[in-house]
Amino acid sequence: MIKHIILWKIDDKFSTEEKAKIAEGAKTALCALVGKVPGLIEVKVQTEKLDSSNADLMLDSTLESVEALKGYQVHPDHVAAADNFVRPFMSQRLCLDFEA
């Protein structure tokens, strides 16, 4: 199994209220990918954070294989979710992929 972990920082040009809506929109869009993207087993999106955090949003996803991860990255539903609910709003992104 492959873990695909992403941390995002929402751009500071957005207000606190806007950031909350952006985070919830991203969570809804990303969680909806389970059952649509072959090999995507599980998606968890963390939007609640402690004040000590320097990221606003975390994606914790589990995929069947490296091949499934490659397919996920280009799958039209994933690309649409990322292009409409994630990428336009983020100022930073960190990724860690590993075998679990």
Side-chain angles (χ1 to χ4, degrees):
M1 294 210 300
I2 301 297
K3 294 298 285 182
H4 175 63
I5 310 295
I6 307 288
L7 293 171
W8 288 286
K9 176 83 174 140
I10 299 174
D11 197 305
D12 284 335
K13 69 183 178 185
F14 297 105
S15 69
T16 301
E17 295 80 19
E18 290 171 320
K19 285 182 179 185
K21 289 179 184 177
I22 290 165
E24 285 305 314
K27 180 177 183 174
T28 299
L30 293 168
C31 289
L33 296 174
V34 175
K36 294 181 181 178
V37 178
L40 180 61
I41 298 167
E42 181 179 40
V43 170
K44 297 177 188 172
V45 178
Q46 183 64 39
T47 59
E48 299 298 320
K49 61 182 184 148
L50 299 177
D51 290 339
S52 57
S53 300
N54 60 11
D56 296 307
L57 190 61
M58 181 192 74
L59 168 69
D60 176 357
S61 52
T62 306
L63 297 106
E64 291 176 354
S65 63
V66 171
E67 293 74 26
L69 175 60
K70 289 177 184 177
Y72 165 80
Q73 293 169 331
V74 297
H75 190 280
D77 289 333
H78 171 256
V79 172
D83 285 349
N84 292 300
F85 296 97
V86 181
R87 291 183 182 122
F89 308 104
M90 305 303 160
S91 62
Q92 293 180 329
R93 175 187 180 271
L94 294 171
C95 174
L96 178 64
D97 297 326
F98 58 93
E99 287 191 49

